[in-house]
Amino acid sequence: MKEQNLKKLNDSRAIRWGALAIVAFTMMAAYYVNDVVAPLKTMLETDLKWDSSEFGLFTGAYSFLNVFFLMLIWGGLILDRFGIRFTGKLATILMVLGTGLEYYAMTGMADATGTIWGYKVSVFVASAGYSVFGVGAEVAGITVTKMIAKWFRGKEMATAMGVQVALARVGSQAAYAVAIPMARAYEITTPVLVGLICLIGGLIAFFAFSVLDKKLDRQIEAEVDNSPEEKFSFKDVAKILSNPGFWLIALLCVLFYSCVFPFQKFASELMISKYGIDESVAGFFAGLPALGALFLTPVFGGMVDKRGKAASIMMLGAAMLIAVHCIYALPFITSSWIAIVLMIVLGIAFSLVPSAMWPSVAKIFPAHQLGTAYALIFFIQNIGLWGIPTLIGIVLDKYCVVGKANGANLYDYTLPMCIFTGIAVLSLIIAFALKVADKKFGYKLEEANIK
Ligand SMILES: NCCCC[C@H](NC(=O)[C@@H](N)CCCCN)C(=O)O
């Protein structure tokens, strides 16, 4: 009997969901490390003497190598050439090494004098470490998307993608919630050390997953990794780039995510300085969008599957984003309750747009172009994840310092929030253009997936 007629590993619901749980743990650790330094902004200023521009440099460093050294593109090529197991292990090792370097810079180099290209040695080396981590995290992201496509093809693929993103949000929310209390109780760098340990756990988890994946490959005759429909191809790049749907989704992605992830990085300080929220819970509130998205992304994903309206939902999410950032920008609104409600509304927008956007990519592009399309969209998104925090950090230092307290600057966040509002307005315009393009080019974004 041919091997393919045997029951394969991923035919067992328990085993395929178990495999997803293993890699989702690795991604959860990645999202934790990604976000855990952000709530410490004020402490970094008092304890390690990092100013806002240096914090912005560090935050944007996540995407630096991905953008300027095209690491996502090389990552896509490596993924297609060497497969999920090799690329996943490589990406996770990069995350561990990068975080190790970041931790070393923040501990062992904290007192080092001197500068590199005008930046403190500790800031520069920590940013270099975070940049290496960013390459690993983004490549791991596309690897996991491909892993889900392989293990869940013809099964609960969209649900599995939603569950993986939702679990990653647990890592983000944990980071925002624990960073300040943990840093106060132990050392400022303890939250990073915990992340490093979790990532080492994630590396072990990925090695365990690889054993299962190898077994699955032995069971399937035609190896999915090598099938032409999964390959990153330069021919496809040209086709994708000439599709107006690609540009609209990529632009919406960079604009929308630039208003969420970089904003969150500064949100703990905003909560404390403008709304008087206690430092011990400010991170928790800054992480609320991730917590909301944890529950709502699968719900809205289900709605998009059953009722469609993906383009309209993206417009709604972008409109909500404008309202949130605009109200944060108003200098006379300083109630902590309003700040918290706005974070909840941001959480709803942060669930609406991704749950409509990522499945829309699959409607606009045929299956064989999907991997390439995701890598290119992530690449463009990373330009915003690099540029916006860098810009906000500089703007804070140059135009927003209004005093000093306990050795840290006090900032007026009006101008940064106006910048975020402007980007959100652009995202609504692009979402509207996408809806028009949907009608014109027949992407079927407004139609239900399940009929
Ligand atoms: N199947 C695609 C899922 C994408 C999820 C998306 N992640 C990203 O956009 C990453 N490129 C950036 C992650 C940065 C984490 N702070 C998401 O919504 O998380």
Side-chain angles (χ1 to χ4, degrees):
M1 194 184 353
K2 279 193 170 181
E3 257 193 294
Q4 65 184 12
N5 293 334
L6 296 173
K7 197 168 184 277
K8 297 192 299 291
L9 269 189
N10 63 335
D11 288 330
S12 153
R13 184 187 292 261
I15 297 180
R16 69 175 174 272
W17 281 99
L20 180 75
I22 297 173
V23 295
F25 173 76
T26 310
M27 289 311 290
M28 207 190 285
Y31 272 58
Y32 170 91
V33 172
N34 188 344
D35 288 321
V36 81
V37 174
L40 305 174
K41 181 179 181 297
T42 312
M43 284 180 78
L44 289 169
E45 210 163 318
T46 50
D47 297 14
L48 301 187
K49 310 284 171 245
W50 289 23
D51 62 23
S52 285
S53 306
E54 288 169 330
F55 176 81
L57 172 96
F58 171 83
T59 304
Y62 174 88
S63 299
F64 183 84
L65 292 175
N66 290 325
V67 172
F68 294 100
F69 290 80
L70 304 180
M71 283 308 185
L72 262 164
I73 309 293
W74 305 129
L77 287 167
I78 291 173
L79 179 58
D80 288 328
R81 177 73 184 84
F82 297 105
I84 291 171
R85 294 188 292 278
F86 176 83
T87 316
K89 284 179 207 163
L90 179 69
T92 318
I93 288 170
L94 285 178
M95 288 197 278
V96 171
L97 292 180
T99 309
L101 187 60
E102 179 188 326
Y103 178 69
Y104 171 69
M106 292 170 85
T107 49
M109 294 180 153
D111 298 323
T113 49
T115 56
I116 302 177
W117 291 340
Y119 295 101
K120 283 184 203 74
V121 175
S122 67
V123 174
F124 188 90
V125 178
S127 303
Y130 193 43
S131 217
V132 172
F133 164 81
V135 174
E138 289 293 303
V139 173
I142 51 170
T143 306
V144 168
T145 303
K146 191 163 173 179
M147 172 268 166
I148 295 174
K150 173 179 176 178
W151 278 73
F152 287 81
R153 188 174 299 275
K155 302 182 167 74
E156 321 87 330
M157 190 153 78
T159 314
M161 284 191 183
V163 168
Q164 185 269 311
V165 173
L167 289 173
R169 304 274 182 253
V170 177
S172 282
Q173 169 60 16
Y176 280 104
V178 304
I180 297 178
M182 200 189 284
R184 286 268 173 242
Y186 302 97
E187 303 280 327
I188 187 171
T189 49
T190 308
V192 180
L193 179 63
V194 170
L196 180 58
I197 295 166
C198 290
L199 273 179
I200 293 170
L203 180 61
I204 297 168
F206 207 93
F207 272 85
F209 160 75
S210 297
V211 176
L212 287 177
D213 192 64
K214 195 161 187 175
K215 211 167 167 191
L216 177 64
D217 269 358
R218 277 201 220 106
Q219 292 175 333
I220 39 184
E221 264 188 356
E223 208 181 279
V224 179
D225 281 1
N226 289 337
S227 67
E229 71 164 30
E230 298 271 324
K231 280 199 172 295
F232 186 107
S233 116
F234 281 105
K235 230 165 66 189
D236 282 337
V237 171
K239 277 196 199 136
I240 291 168
L241 295 184
S242 61
N243 185 334
F246 165 79
W247 288 106
L248 292 171
I249 289 271
L251 277 175
L252 179 60
C253 179
V254 64
L255 292 168
F256 178 82
Y257 276 101
S258 290
C259 287
V260 179
F261 288 141
F263 165 69
Q264 272 191 296
K265 306 272 182 186
F266 292 88
S268 303
E269 188 173 70
L270 175 74
M271 296 290 125
I272 298 166
S273 62
K274 181 171 177 188
Y275 299 97
I277 290 175
D278 191 76
E279 197 192 48
S280 58
V281 287
F284 173 81
F285 290 125
L288 269 185
L291 187 64
L294 160 66
F295 300 107
L296 293 178
T297 309
V299 175
F300 292 146
M303 269 167 55
V304 172
D305 270 344
K306 286 195 202 100
R307 302 203 181 148
K309 303 269 173 230
S312 309
I313 285 179
M314 286 187 256
M315 278 183 66
L316 175 65
M320 288 166 79
L321 205 57
I322 299 175
V324 168
H325 287 323
C326 185
I327 299 174
Y328 275 133
L330 298 175
F332 51 86
I333 294 186
T334 53
S335 151
S336 56
W337 284 108
I338 294 185
I340 294 165
V341 169
L342 290 177
M343 273 295 174
I344 295 170
V345 178
L346 182 63
I348 298 172
F350 189 35
S351 313
L352 282 171
V353 175
S355 57
M357 180 193 288
W358 298 115
S360 295
V361 179
K363 280 188 169 175
I364 296 177
F365 301 101
H368 71 277
Q369 289 177 350
L370 263 187
T372 313
Y374 275 122
L376 289 171
I377 290 171
F378 273 24
F379 168 71
I380 292 174
Q381 177 204 41
N382 268 256
I383 299 173
L385 299 186
W386 163 76
I388 299 303
T390 309
L391 172 75
I392 298 292
I394 295 170
V395 166
L396 277 173
D397 271 340
K398 278 208 162 159
Y399 307 106
C400 307
V401 181
V402 287
K404 233 175 164 57
N406 307 322
N409 282 334
L410 290 174
Y411 300 99
D412 174 359
Y413 264 86
T414 308
L415 183 54
M417 291 321 302
C418 288
I419 295 175
F420 282 121
T421 309
I423 302 170
V425 169
L426 291 178
S427 78
L428 179 61
I429 295 170
I430 298 296
F432 176 70
L434 183 61
K435 196 170 166 172
V436 174
D438 176 45
K439 273 206 185 111
K440 188 167 170 197
F441 298 108
Y443 297 134
K444 301 190 175 147
L445 303 187
E446 293 287 275
E447 287 181 20
N449 296 332
I450 304 168
K451 299 210 172 132

